[in-house]
Amino acid sequence: MKNICYTEIESPIGPLLLAADESGLREIRFVHGRHPATPDPAWTKDQAPLKETVRQLKTYFAGELEDFDLPLAPQGTPFQLSVWKRLCEIPYGETISYGQLAGRIGNPNASRAVGLANGSNPIPIIIPCHRVIGSNGKLTGYGGGLPIKEKLLALERKQLRLL
C-alpha cells in the first residue's frame, strides 16, 4: 500500500480534506459535504506533498486560475476513469449535460452511468464534475451540496468572487 499524506485546508466553500501519494492527488473531500469526510487512520498528516495543490486551489478560488496543472491519481473503474478524463476537457466557465457527456465518451445512452461516475469523482473542483448539469439546464446533485456547485459555476462565470 502506498503512503498517503493528507491535510485539511479552509476554503471559501468550507473545509476540504486533500490526500495524495507519490503518484499524485488522490482525493479532495468536502469535510461537511453529503458524506462528511475524515482522514483514513492509515494516512499520514503532512501538508508538504500537497503544497502545490493548496496553492493552485487558493489561486482558483481567487478567480486567477482556470486550468490546474497537478499530477492526479484518482482510483476508479476504467469507465469512471474515462468519464473523469472527459470532465477535464470541459472548458472553464462552461457546462454540459449528462447526456452530452455520455455522447463524448461514445455511449449516448449512458447518461445515468455517467451521472453515477460523475458522483463518484474523488477529486472534485480539479476534475470539474460541477460543470455537468441536467438536460433542462438545472443544477443537479453535487457531493459538496448544490449551493457549493452554484458558487463554483458563478466563480467561473465571473459572477462571484470567493476571495
Side-chain angles (χ1 to χ4, degrees):
M1 183 172 161
K2 295 181 179 182
N3 183 34
I4 297 178
C5 297
Y6 79 95
T7 192
E8 287 187 31
I9 63 167
E10 288 299 322
S11 83
I13 58 170
L16 300 173
L17 175 69
L18 313 176
D21 63 19
E22 61 273 4
S23 301
L25 183 65
R26 292 176 60 112
E27 295 186 26
I28 294 178
R29 297 181 186 175
F30 297 100
V31 173
H32 302 302
R34 189 173 53 197
H35 306 287
T38 57
D40 185 298
W43 295 357
T44 303
K45 187 166 188 168
D46 184 0
Q47 184 172 355
L50 292 150
K51 191 173 172 180
E52 181 61 14
T53 301
V54 171
R55 186 194 71 74
Q56 288 190 35
L57 282 168
K58 286 181 178 179
T59 307
Y60 168 82
F61 289 129
E64 300 167 0
L65 179 76
E66 295 185 5
D67 296 307
F68 290 94
D69 184 19
L70 297 165
L72 303 179
Q75 303 297 300
T77 67
F79 179 78
Q80 289 172 325
L81 292 169
S82 71
V83 170
W84 301 336
K85 182 176 187 260
R86 291 295 181 162
L87 288 172
C88 292
E89 297 170 1
I90 304 169
Y92 181 90
E94 294 184 20
T95 58
I96 66 171
S97 71
Y98 292 96
Q100 289 171 309
L101 185 55
R104 289 185 183 184
I105 64 163
N107 192 345
N109 297 322
S111 58
R112 285 182 186 254
V114 162
L116 289 172
N118 200 49
S120 299
N121 173 14
I123 309 176
I125 305 166
I126 294 173
I127 297 178
C129 53
H130 61 277
R131 296 180 189 155
V132 183
I133 59 174
S135 59
N136 59 3
K138 301 230 186 250
L139 298 187
T140 57
Y142 189 64
L146 288 182
I148 289 176
K149 183 173 187 167
E150 192 170 26
K151 281 183 181 178
L152 293 173
L153 291 173
L155 168 72
E156 292 185 7
R157 291 180 180 138
K158 311 287 187 210
Q159 299 168 330
L160 176 70
R161 291 199 52 125
L162 293 177
L163 291 179

